[in-house]
Amino acid sequence: MSAIDTSRTVAVVGAGTMGQGIAQVALVAGHPVRLYDAVAGRAGEAADAIGARLDRLVEKGRMDAGERDAARARLVPAADLAELADAALVVEAVLEQLAVKQELFAELEKIVADDCLLATNTSSLSVTAVAGALRAPGRFVGLHFFNPAPLLPLVEVVSGHATDEETATRAWATAAAWGKTPVRCADLPGFIVNRIARPFYAEAFAVHEEHGIDPATIDAILRESGGFAMGPFELTDLIGQDVNEAVTRSVWESFFHSPKFQPSLAQRRLVESRRLGRKSGHGWFSYAEGAAQPAPADAGPEDAPEYVVAEGDLGPAAELIGMIREAGITVRQEDEDTGTRLILPSGGQLVLADGQIAAEFGDVVYFDLALDYRTAGRIALSAAADVQQDTLAQATGLFQALGKRVSVLPDVPGMIVARTVAMLGDLALDAVARRVASAEDIDTAMRLGVNYPMGPVEWNERLGRDWAWELLANLHQSVPTGRYARTLGLHQWSYGSPTEDAS
């Protein structure tokens, strides 16, 4: 099934920020575009705004003047829905209210031709429900663009329960022809990105609430150790606490209050107090003029140990062995069946986060997962209150000798990066098992939609088939709320045939 020809009209209903962005994408791709809004005069104002953005593209050398003039000539504000009658595709970007969208498409169905595709840009409503009242729901599809639509490449092509295969394929091909990267997914709550991304926020908020760790430190750990572009606290301040919390609550309610998607009470309090982030001047952080931004907690300098004893290969942290040697610290290698750990001169153990509580094991310091231990700028350590101070000092000095900033946390099972990555991988594999989307499309969506350093399925492959399985099993025992119960998808994947090295 081929893309909609550029000679055919694309109509956009809703002239807000998202509607304008989608209209601009279709316009630049070469289509005649009609833009409609229920508020009189708004479509004309939106057309002027799009024209101004095209002017800026010319100024920046990204479009020539002739292309701009031709695009402006193809953009027509519509004063009435009836003016959309010749559209080959209508994309809706109106209020996120089911009744409003259903009423709109019922009207559009009376106006457009039978071969016209109808699409919703909803991010939180059921595509199936929006199409539920249509006489021909087979031609209805979700086209979820990400804001700003002209800049972000990802489009989720969402098939509702009644969407025809030909409709989804044509919508996918059209988005690709517009220069986007489309991914296909089924109509389950949150689609791909808004569903699988929940642990990135939820685990950080839970650690903050349960252990009192400050947001700046958690953000820094996820950026500098996990490789994420932004931490969840600063990111939700940018998105808007009300917007982010509403998506979380919508997914949680759609999954019948599953503990895996439980909202944060601390975030709810921010919303209730109207501390919504950058747009209100205060969220997790203050954005008042002259306000100092809080710095992450850094451990003071400590001496590096003269040697460590390595038992096992440290699994996902194996590269640390070579790095320790390069730093001039002696590594005595021992093959032991007791696990993967480093023994410090104090006799204490340094262990990669595995979801267990340090207090259960006495003189143990856990260290967090890193995307790349060589390039990581920060490593988090976690220990029980009664850990030997020599052990904690030697663990801190060891990572400082490797050039890392160190944040010392209380006894947090699974720590920060490790539990976040394990939960992201668990939900991703659950989505594969439920046929929400393919593993390839999930990884593409998470890299492009929320700028993750690596897709969660790819990350699982890299860490090994038993890594997330064991960490979540331990977390479920440590925090038996059901949140960390492993999904069937992770079960199936963990017991699958071994894969080649995915590093």
Side-chain angles (χ1 to χ4, degrees), residues 126 187-190 195 247-263 434 481-482:
S126 163
D187 182 25
L188 268 75
R195 172 185 178 169
V247 173
T248 297
R249 188 167 293 277
S250 174
V251 173
W252 177 60
E253 291 173 349
S254 296
F255 279 104
F256 307 105
H257 295 180
S258 166
K260 285 189 173 291
F261 302 102
Q262 181 176 335
R434 293 173 183 263
T481 61

Side-chain angles (χ1 to χ4, degrees), residues 386-475:
D386 60 353
V387 69
Q388 288 190 50
Q389 289 308 300
D390 283 353
T391 296
L392 184 56
Q394 290 167 12
T396 301
L398 174 65
F399 281 105
Q400 289 174 339
L402 303 184
K404 314 302 181 187
R405 292 176 291 276
V406 175
S407 292
V408 178
L409 311 180
D411 194 356
V412 181
M415 302 197 67
I416 309 292
V417 180
R419 69 195 282 174
T420 299
V421 170
M423 286 291 284
L424 289 170
D426 183 50
L427 288 187
L429 291 167
D430 179 58
V432 173
R434 293 173 183 263
R435 296 178 174 79
V436 176
S438 68
E440 180 181 2
D441 276 356
I442 287 171
D443 279 353
T444 297
M446 301 312 289
R447 287 196 306 269
L448 298 182
V450 279
N451 202 24
Y452 283 4
M454 185 180 295
V457 179
E458 180 187 1
W459 216 333
N460 264 357
E461 291 279 3
R462 177 175 168 178
L463 293 169
R465 286 185 175 264
D466 59 351
W467 180 81
W469 167 270
E470 292 180 355
L471 187 142
L472 290 178
N474 291 332
L475 259 177

Side-chain angles (χ1 to χ4, degrees), residues 11-21 23 33-47 50 75-84 90-95 100 104 108:
V12 178
V13 180
T17 301
M18 182 58 77
Q20 291 180 34
V33 173
R34 290 208 177 90
L35 184 58
Y36 171 81
D37 195 281
V39 178
R42 186 171 289 175
E45 294 171 358
I50 294 170
L75 178 59
V76 179
D80 191 277
L81 277 179
E83 297 176 47
L84 313 184
V90 181
V91 183
E92 161 272 316
V94 302
L95 292 174
V100 172
L104 169 65
L108 284 169

Side-chain angles (χ1 to χ4, degrees), residues 276-348:
L276 305 181
R278 289 182 179 271
K279 63 186 178 184
S280 70
H282 204 303
W284 296 108
F285 307 111
S286 172
Y287 300 94
E289 185 176 352
Q293 294 304 304
D298 289 349
E302 299 286 357
D303 294 332
E306 294 182 2
Y307 71 90
V308 295
V309 178
E311 295 183 350
D313 64 1
L314 295 190
E319 63 185 324
L320 283 175
I321 300 298
M323 293 169 60
I324 293 170
R325 288 194 172 106
E326 291 164 15
I329 300 170
T330 299
V331 178
R332 301 173 187 170
Q333 196 88 39
E334 294 186 6
D335 291 327
E336 296 283 344
D337 295 329
T338 55
T340 55
R341 59 188 179 181
L342 295 174
I343 307 299
L344 298 164
S346 67

Side-chain angles (χ1 to χ4, degrees), residues 174-195:
T174 299
W178 291 357
K180 297 301 181 182
T181 303
V183 294
R184 296 187 63 165
C185 61
D187 182 25
L188 268 75
F191 310 143
I192 298 175
V193 172
N194 279 334
R195 172 185 178 169

